[in-house]
Amino acid sequence: MLEQAQKLLHTYYGYNSFRPGQSNVIEKLLYKQNTIAIMPTGGGKSICYQIPGLTQEGITLVISPLISLMKDQVDALTTLNIPATYINSSLTNDEQIARLRDVRLGKYTFLYVAPERLESKKFLHILQSISISLIAFDEAHCISQWGHDFRPSYRSVIDSIQQLNQKPTLIGLTATATKEVTKDLQQLLEVDSSNIVNTGFSRDNLTFQLVKGQDRNAYTLQFVQTNKEEAGIIYAITRKQVDQIHIQLKKIGVPVLKYHAGLTEEARQQAQNTFIQEEGCVMVATNAFGMGIDKSNVRYVVHYGLPRNLESYYQEAGRAGRDGEPSQCILLFSGQDISLQKYLIEQSDLDEEKKSKEYGKLQAMINYCHTNQCLPQFILHYFGDLSSKKNCKKCTNCNETLQKVDRTKEAQMVLSCIKRMNQSFGASLTAKVLKGSKDKKVKQFQFDQLSTYGLLHDYTEKELVNFIHFLVAENFLTAVEGRYPTLRLNQRSIDILKGELPVYVYIEKVPQKEATNDYPAEFFEHLRQIRKKMADQQGVPPYVLFTDRTLKELAKHKPQDEESLLQIHGMGEKKVEKYSDMLLKEISEWNQS
Ligand code: ADP
């Protein structure tokens, strides 16, 4: 059975092999077993239900809470000549009626709907009258009351489905599922434990970078300019920051958009549509932007400010490189953001218990900014995915341009100072004492009388605060949670003080090398323009027609006939049939020019 699936993968999608987990899920569905697929964003979840859907009699119903994603999915299937449609509130009444009629007539292989649609008796009646082979629950974590985006109407879909006079195979797909959520889904969808396929959360095509101690504005402007052909997102914390960065980028001639809750609904919608439709443009936004954005060729996500927790960071950064191509996630760290995030937690409507939880999550985010470990590994471990033991070899901390420096002595001085301050204060006052500051508070507590006063006067206060954060991140020291965390020694601190545990930090030795392209950039650019023109004509986003990788391979290999076109990643028989004349003509003209 898998042979046929493999063939479809090549014919329709132009891919040669399955990604981890895909064949496993497909096989289970082909044997009509209810399944749960937990795969990272960009892991290729759609193919998991689309290939079984293509092989089976009857329609595949896809339930998705994200209306904006439905059109993309349907457009992508339609360009492959696969009959698919969606029915949701974005359509007029007449359009809905026409599509429902065609569903009843069996014209479609795939039907996408929002959960609320199953509350309609009329719709359920139509479902009764057709044969449904498979029901896919996209973003399945929203079904579970333990999920972070719980949607009660999504949960009630299960009851509606049980009323049907047929028993289609069910699959739940998600990129985020805690143990509780998985268990809940397992029960609701009646999935056997052996039919849970979990490939972890790792996103190997993403490079994680942390930039500290640099002018954030200058860095952002320079970064965007060096990557100006690429689409990217810049996340800032406040609306004001968004407005400022937007103006600055506009001034230097970058095609830039903005999105935040202070803009009108219309302006936001327009910015979002332009971002999806255009090639290399930059979106500057608060975290209000992104839910339901499926643009697959976002090449970078820059966090101008510190995110509130690692959950949102990984979700936002994860909007880069959904197409599997190398992409960058950069976090610009500034210590001031810690107070800003604390202020936002303090101002929120959360009760005390939840606030304290948020402070704990923020502390983990701060730890990420000061760790020495491989950055993606730090994130995966935070989410309880302990399977990855290898360093990524490309993040800021794995980068071989870093130099290992022994800072045991300095760590001992910091720890000893904390001990003398009775372990009752935070990083900022400790740094002041070590610097030898004449601050009022230092005098008030008579810390200027301590033997550790001014012991590290060669460092700036900012450097000392960062070093203390680093010691906390590496668990060389404990920060007791709360708005003003106090520093406490732990067993590892004592080992350092006794000289039994060394402390190393890594500092940047040489500037990073620019990555070199292995494809002719000019021809790639030309192909992108053609893709854009075709996309506009067909009213679909460009990345739905060809992925960036397909264009890069076309630019590099310049295939001259249909057979060599078929060797290109993403060029299946269906696409070759449709586009070979146009592509071969472009390549031939380029070769002659
Ligand atoms: P998800 O829903 O898991 O975020 P998608 O289904 O949108 O991911 O797939 C992300 C991208 O990966 C799409 O461009 C898709 O065509 C591509 N893709 C999926 N499976 C494969 C595969 N086996 N080989 C190469 N690319 C794939």
Side-chain angles (χ1 to χ4, degrees):
M1 265 209 234
L2 262 185
E3 264 169 43
Q4 194 196 353
Q6 183 90 38
K7 209 162 156 228
L8 289 173
L9 181 73
H10 194 260
T11 312
Y12 280 98
Y13 303 91
Y15 301 143
N16 291 328
S17 54
F18 283 116
R19 291 231 183 105
Q22 282 181 328
S23 55
N24 203 351
V25 174
I26 290 171
E27 194 167 25
K28 290 178 191 304
L29 295 183
L30 292 178
Y31 282 109
K32 303 203 171 302
Q33 290 170 5
N34 292 354
T35 305
I36 293 173
I38 307 168
M39 291 181 179
T41 309
K45 289 186 278 298
S46 323
I47 279 180
C48 290
Y49 61 80
Q50 286 175 355
I51 287 189
L54 282 169
T55 64
Q56 293 170 344
E57 288 285 317
I59 203 166
T60 291
L61 179 68
V62 186
I63 305 176
S64 169
L66 301 177
I67 291 185
S68 53
L69 298 193
M70 288 183 196
K71 187 172 179 305
D72 261 16
Q73 293 274 356
V74 168
D75 283 343
L77 289 167
T78 314
T79 61
L80 298 170
N81 291 339
I82 298 171
T85 194
Y86 62 89
I87 300 177
N88 63 32
S89 52
S90 72
L91 302 176
T92 63
N93 218 10
D94 285 350
E95 283 170 324
Q96 291 188 22
I97 292 170
R99 290 189 188 194
L100 281 169
R101 189 192 52 223
D102 287 344
V103 168
R104 216 194 276 263
L105 292 173
K107 285 200 181 165
Y108 299 113
T109 311
F110 293 94
L111 168 62
Y112 286 74
V113 295
E116 291 74 21
R117 182 70 34 184
L118 281 103
E119 287 168 8
S120 147
K121 288 231 156 50
K122 221 163 126 196
F123 183 67
L124 282 180
H125 192 68
I126 292 174
L127 290 187
Q128 299 272 30
S129 70
I130 57 171
S131 157
I132 309 167
S133 58
L134 180 63
I135 301 185
F137 297 86
D138 209 7
E139 310 289 343
H141 58 277
C142 303
I143 302 178
S144 169
Q145 54 198 338
W146 307 111
H148 57 85
D149 281 323
F150 175 49
R151 303 255 300 235
S153 59
Y154 205 173
R155 197 177 179 88
S156 61
V157 163
I158 310 285
D159 289 336
S160 309
I161 283 168
Q162 276 161 357
Q163 289 167 32
L164 295 176
N165 52 359
Q166 46 186 326
K167 232 174 163 351
T169 313
L170 307 181
I171 172 159
L173 306 118
T174 175
T176 64
T178 58
K179 274 195 190 124
E180 280 162 322
V181 172
T182 313
K183 213 163 155 209
D184 199 17
L185 284 180
Q186 194 186 345
Q187 225 168 32
L188 287 168
L189 305 184
E190 296 177 25
V191 177
D192 196 88
S193 301
S194 60
N195 290 337
I196 299 174
V197 179
N198 187 343
T199 62
F201 304 102
S202 176
R203 301 274 315 273
D204 297 340
N205 62 317
L206 302 185
T207 301
F208 285 84
Q209 278 173 287
L210 200 59
V211 177
K212 287 189 263 190
Q214 291 210 29
D215 178 340
R216 291 194 280 186
N217 251 340
Y219 186 97
T220 308
L221 297 190
Q222 202 191 344
F223 181 87
V224 171
Q225 262 197 322
T226 358
N227 292 279
K228 68 172 178 295
E229 277 91 33
E230 309 290 7
I233 306 175
I234 298 170
Y235 278 112
I237 305 179
T238 62
R239 296 174 192 181
K240 203 168 142 203
Q241 282 176 342
V242 169
D243 290 337
Q244 279 166 352
I245 303 168
H246 180 256
I247 290 177
Q248 283 171 343
L249 286 173
K250 221 171 171 171
K251 257 194 203 152
I252 57 168
V254 171
V256 60
L257 302 155
K258 67 174 175 179
Y259 190 107
H260 59 61
L263 301 171
T264 62
E265 169 71 28
E266 201 188 345
R268 276 183 294 171
Q269 196 60 44
Q270 198 180 355
Q272 178 164 322
N273 290 345
T274 313
F275 182 67
I276 288 171
Q277 204 66 36
E278 292 301 318
E279 289 284 1
C281 68
V282 186
M283 174 63 88
V284 189
T286 58
N287 61 4
F289 175 75
M291 191 63 174
I293 296 296
D294 204 15
K295 187 177 174 87
S296 67
N297 56 350
V298 173
R299 287 279 81 87
Y300 62 85
V301 173
V302 173
H303 276 80
Y304 185 86
L306 181 76
R308 187 154 155 177
N309 52 44
L310 275 166
E311 283 84 347
S312 5
Y313 180 56
Y314 202 49
Q315 190 176 43
E316 286 156 14
R319 294 192 174 121
R322 292 183 66 118
D323 55 5
E325 286 294 279
S327 308
Q328 302 191 63
C329 307
I330 299 165
L331 173 53
L332 305 176
F333 175 74
S334 159
Q336 298 155 6
D337 288 345
I338 302 177
S339 341
L340 180 54
Q341 286 296 9
K342 282 184 182 169
Y343 172 79
L344 293 174
I345 297 176
E346 208 46 48
Q347 296 298 308
S348 68
D349 300 333
L350 300 173
D351 61 36
E352 282 313 307
E353 197 189 332
K354 289 212 173 95
K355 273 187 187 165
S356 147
K357 240 184 164 167
E358 285 300 313
Y359 283 127
K361 286 183 173 183
L362 176 60
Q363 186 59 51
M365 188 69 238
I366 299 168
N367 289 352
Y368 173 83
C369 299
H370 292 95
T371 182
N372 256 345
Q373 283 175 46
C374 163
L375 294 175
Q377 201 174 76
F378 184 97
I379 299 176
L380 294 178
H381 285 187
Y382 174 78
F383 288 119
D385 180 354
L386 303 174
S387 58
S388 94
K389 299 229 164 24
K390 279 191 309 212
N391 285 348
C392 74
K393 297 211 171 71
K394 51 186 186 179
C395 73
T396 308
N397 292 348
C398 287
N399 196 320
E400 281 161 7
T401 59
L402 295 180
Q403 190 184 6
K404 190 173 172 184
V405 182
D406 190 341
R407 289 270 188 260
T408 314
K409 239 202 211 137
E410 287 82 351
Q412 286 169 335
M413 292 175 183
V414 172
L415 296 173
S416 144
C417 187
I418 292 168
K419 203 169 149 198
R420 280 161 222 275
M421 291 165 71
N422 286 330
Q423 306 186 52
S424 313
F425 297 89
S428 147
L429 193 62
T430 310
K432 284 191 192 326
V433 176
L434 285 159
K435 174 74 191 165
S437 152
K438 298 203 164 32
D439 187 88
K440 242 179 26 210
K441 230 170 153 192
V442 173
K443 293 223 155 125
Q444 181 193 336
F445 289 103
Q446 297 185 340
F447 288 151
D448 51 350
Q449 307 296 315
L450 296 179
S451 57
T452 48
Y453 179 73
L455 209 53
L456 288 170
H457 57 86
D458 285 347
Y459 292 84
T460 64
E461 257 178 60
K462 203 169 165 191
E463 283 168 338
L464 290 170
V465 168
N466 281 340
F467 184 53
I468 294 170
H469 283 314
F470 157 77
L471 293 173
V472 172
E474 294 301 297
N475 195 24
F476 289 136
L477 177 65
T478 303
V480 179
E481 281 164 20
R483 181 160 185 206
Y484 303 104
T486 49
L487 302 170
R488 301 265 167 89
L489 304 193
N490 59 26
Q491 188 51 48
R492 279 159 64 87
S493 327
I494 294 165
D495 294 344
I496 295 170
L497 284 168
K498 283 203 247 163
E500 289 169 3
L501 183 65
V503 175
Y504 293 107
V505 297
Y506 294 83
I507 51 175
E508 190 101 19
K509 208 166 48 177
V510 286
Q512 277 187 41
K513 272 188 291 177
E514 281 270 312
T516 46
N517 295 333
D518 69 340
Y519 56 89
E522 228 180 302
F523 191 31
F524 171 67
E525 206 39 57
H526 177 71
L527 290 173
R528 278 219 301 197
Q529 281 168 18
I530 291 169
R531 171 172 73 174
K532 170 82 175 91
K533 216 153 86 192
M534 284 167 54
D536 285 349
Q537 277 162 4
Q538 297 183 28
V540 297
Y543 53 87
V544 159
L545 294 179
F546 303 107
T547 63
D548 280 9
R549 176 156 171 205
T550 303
L551 296 193
K552 283 175 194 168
E553 287 198 11
L554 284 170
K556 184 177 173 186
H557 300 292
K558 299 194 185 67
Q560 319 242 335
D561 52 40
E562 290 197 355
E563 208 170 303
S564 17
L565 259 182
L566 273 171
Q567 306 305 314
I568 299 290
H569 178 92
M571 290 298 301
E573 280 155 35
K574 297 282 170 188
K575 278 224 163 124
V576 170
E577 236 170 63
K578 216 165 160 180
Y579 300 112
S580 66
D581 286 351
M582 180 275 292
L583 289 173
L584 293 174
K585 185 170 147 269
E586 285 300 333
I587 292 168
S588 145
E589 282 175 8
W590 187 266
N591 280 340
Q592 281 163 25
S593 67

